[in-house]
């Protein structure tokens, strides 16, 4: 369906036109049917599907055309500052020709500027719950005339513990029967549904399947790679793909900083985005990434999820996400509003256990890529170790670590075979005893299972099975010790029996006498 078939306000249509939007996306087509008729909606939809425009256009159109909404406000709740700012940016673009003022309210920055915009008057209030509630409870933000409420990324708002703030905000708004409420969420969890039941007016449930983003539009590839060789492979991927822009995801904040610093040591300029950065720096980084000043950005889930970048070419999961939904959120950055993109995931021994739930969640196996030796580029940061404060230290080299691993009987062929799927491991050579002190500091990986490992004996195991197990564990000494023990205990039993026998015979002899 085209926007000009929706009977929208002319000035609103002008803004939409100027953005180059012609046809509605699926979520828009399915939602407008209800929202433009003032029906509440509860929409399950990922970012990248055009959901922001969906609720903004609905809110604008209703304020502009319905008497009940005329001169009244809209309130949009978002989980993060970045997302709130992006919503405001899009609102300003779509509503460019409308006489409606937008204001953005979020924590981490001074109250002054935001207070000023409240004094000037705001029609579309966008913000994070904490700061919004601060303004509401101090009486500086009046919300009794809010007739449109939008809750964006409800699942994340709840995950981040905003439920108490949301409830307090809802109490300050007009009753659900006297307002138009729209809830958007990547997943419609029980908690999100509860909000819908309690605070919405018989909402229409709309579900857009997440697989539509991942499966059909994104070229996904997965490389199995050991932790030690990840940076080499990342360098190889960046060289081969040479993307216009790439968003690299890590699970932890310190890993994002480390990966970015390692890339920089290798002469590849990159920046990082984590929740720890001061607000001004975060905003500057996002802006620079959007306008192409930064080509490579390493981010964590929270910081990276709300980023809206047009034409993002590549997403790399440097660490597989621990929550399967985040896989969809991450790779969804690269296939926004119908565009195609590419997502490469690196699965190492530390996060391999996340793969199965992810594949289950997206209902497909991620195609495996095979990297030949040329894809592993020398890593100049190899000897640099970053502690948890991301301070650099020099450490044992990767080659040394690998040599120790091998000496310990663990031969990592992950890049050839695939960790966790088909691993070949050599037998532990017993000769080199010094190696034990060396390997103490090296974490034991799940996939490093010695081939000759036997099952621990159970109560039902035969003596042969037990002996085989302990023999393997302790060597030949076990048998000697055991037989000694048996000898000793046998001796004891025999002596006891002899003693008992002699005692009985002595008593019998007394009776005989
Ligand atoms: P969102 O799902 O809100 O994150 O939107 C993803 C991107 O799609 C944003 O950059 C929007 O500007 C863009 N977009 C939204 N609706 C449309 C549309 N109908 N046609 C083309 N692009 C759109």
């Amino acid at each position: 369906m085209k926007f000009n078939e929706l009977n929208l306000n002319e000035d609103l249509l002008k803004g939409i036109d100027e953005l180059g939007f012609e046809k509605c996306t699926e979520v828009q087509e399915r939602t407008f049917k209800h929202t433009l008729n003032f029906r509440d909606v509860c929409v399950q939809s990922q970012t990248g599907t055009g959901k922001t425009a969906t609720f903004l256009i609905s809110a604008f159109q209703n304020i502009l055309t319905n008497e009940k909404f005329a001169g009244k406000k809209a309130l949009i709740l978002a989980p993060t500052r970045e997302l709130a700012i992006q919503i405001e940016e899009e609102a300003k673009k779509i509503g460019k020709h409308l006489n409606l003022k937008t204001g953005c309210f979020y924590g981490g920055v001074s109250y002054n500027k935001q207070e000023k915009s409240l004094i000037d008057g705001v029609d579309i209030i966008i913000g994070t719950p904490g700061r919004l509630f601060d303004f509401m409870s101090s009486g500086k933000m009046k919300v009794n005339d809010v007739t449109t409420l939008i809750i964006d990324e409800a699942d994340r708002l709840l995950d981040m513990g905003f439920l108490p703030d949301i409830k307090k905000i809802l109490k300050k708004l007009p009753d659900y029967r006297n307002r138009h409420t729209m809830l958007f969420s990547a997943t419609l969890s029980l908690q999100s549904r509860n909000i819908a039941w309690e605070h919405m007016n018989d909402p229409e449930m709309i579900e857009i399947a997440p697989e539509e983003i991942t499966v059909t539009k994104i070229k996904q590839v997965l490389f199995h790679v050991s932790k030690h060789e990840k940076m080499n492979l990342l360098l190889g991927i960046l060289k081969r793909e040479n993307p216009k822009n790439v968003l690299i995801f890590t699970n932890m904040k310190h890993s994002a900083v480390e990966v970015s610093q390692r890339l920089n040591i290798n002469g590849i300029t990159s920046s990082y985005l984590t929740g720890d950065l001061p607000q001004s720096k975060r905003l500057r980084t996002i802006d620079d990434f959007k306008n192409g000043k930064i080509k490579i950005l390493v981010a964590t889930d929270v910081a990276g999820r709300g980023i809206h970048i047009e034409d993002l070419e590549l997403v790399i999961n440097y660490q597989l996400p621990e929550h399967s939904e985040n896989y969809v959120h991450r790779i969804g950055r690269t296939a926004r509003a119908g565009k195609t993109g590419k997502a490469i995931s690196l699965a190492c021994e530390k996060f391999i256990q996340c793969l199965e739930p992810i594949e289950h969640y997206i209902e497909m196996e991620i195609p495996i890529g095979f990297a030949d030796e040329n894809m592993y580029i020398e890593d100049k940061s190899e000897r640099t170790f970053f502690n948890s404060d991301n301070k650099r230290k020099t450490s044992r080299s990767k080659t040394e670590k690998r040599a120790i691993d091998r000496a310990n009987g663990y031969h990592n062929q992950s890049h050839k075979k695939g960790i966790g799927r088909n691993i070949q491991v050599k037998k532990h050579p017993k000769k080199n005893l010094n190696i034990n002190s060396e390997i103490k500091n090296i974490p034991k990986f799940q996939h490093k299972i010695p081939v000759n490992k036997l099952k621990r004996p159970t109560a039902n195991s035969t003596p042969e099975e037990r002996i085989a197990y302990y023999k393997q564990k302790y060597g030949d000494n076990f048998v000697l010790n055991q037989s000694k023990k048996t000898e000793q205990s046998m001796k004891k039993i025999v002596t006891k029996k002899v003693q008992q026998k002699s005692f009985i015979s002595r008593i019998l002899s007394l009776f005989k006498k």
Side-chain angles (χ1 to χ4, degrees), residues 3 21-25 28 46-53 90 308 310 336-337:
F3 282 97
F21 300 174
E22 219 183 287
K23 276 184 160 166
C24 294
T25 62
Q28 289 163 354
Q46 312 285 329
T47 42
T49 52
K51 68 179 173 69
T52 316
E90 191 142 349
H308 292 219
E310 293 299 324
R336 306 183 73 77

Side-chain angles (χ1 to χ4, degrees), residues 86-134:
Q86 277 168 12
I87 296 171
E88 193 195 17
E89 279 173 8
E90 191 142 349
K92 280 184 174 161
K93 286 185 204 158
I94 296 176
K96 193 175 163 194
H97 303 285
L98 309 176
N99 201 11
L100 295 172
K101 282 187 195 154
T102 57
C104 203
F105 307 88
Y106 46 84
V109 291
S110 103
Y111 283 76
N112 297 349
K113 215 173 134 196
Q114 298 178 358
E115 246 176 71
K116 197 177 165 296
S117 79
L118 279 176
I119 295 164
D120 293 345
V122 184
D123 302 298
I124 312 290
I125 303 167
I126 304 157
T128 51
R131 178 60 64 99
L132 285 172
F133 185 68
D134 279 356

